[in-house]
Amino acid sequence: MLPRLFVRINKEEAEQLEREHDGCEFYGVSKGQKVDYIYYDIPEDMSSLLPVLEFAYKKHTGN
């Protein structure tokens, strides 16, 4: 199993990241229910996670 990064964003935000950045594939923690946490498998090439980290940072800081 790959290491995972858990991010507290909603499904719409995760889908937006997935559309805008190739390689950002999210998975919901609980299928069929309200999803509070999204997770991303941490790939060998960390550059594909950069958009996720930037998005989470901006959301957290309000920038």
Side-chain angles (χ1 to χ4, degrees), residues 15-55:
E15 287 171 345
Q16 176 187 346
L17 276 170
E18 197 172 55
R19 280 192 308 272
E20 292 176 1
H21 303 284
D22 215 16
C24 284
E25 188 174 352
F26 76 91
Y27 303 89
V29 173
S30 52
K31 285 199 177 239
Q33 300 174 5
K34 183 177 178 230
V35 176
D36 288 329
Y37 288 93
I38 304 293
Y39 71 84
Y40 295 83
D41 287 329
I42 297 177
E44 300 242 348
D45 178 11
M46 292 292 288
S47 65
S48 64
L49 278 180
L50 186 58
V52 175
L53 298 173
E54 285 179 323
F55 187 90

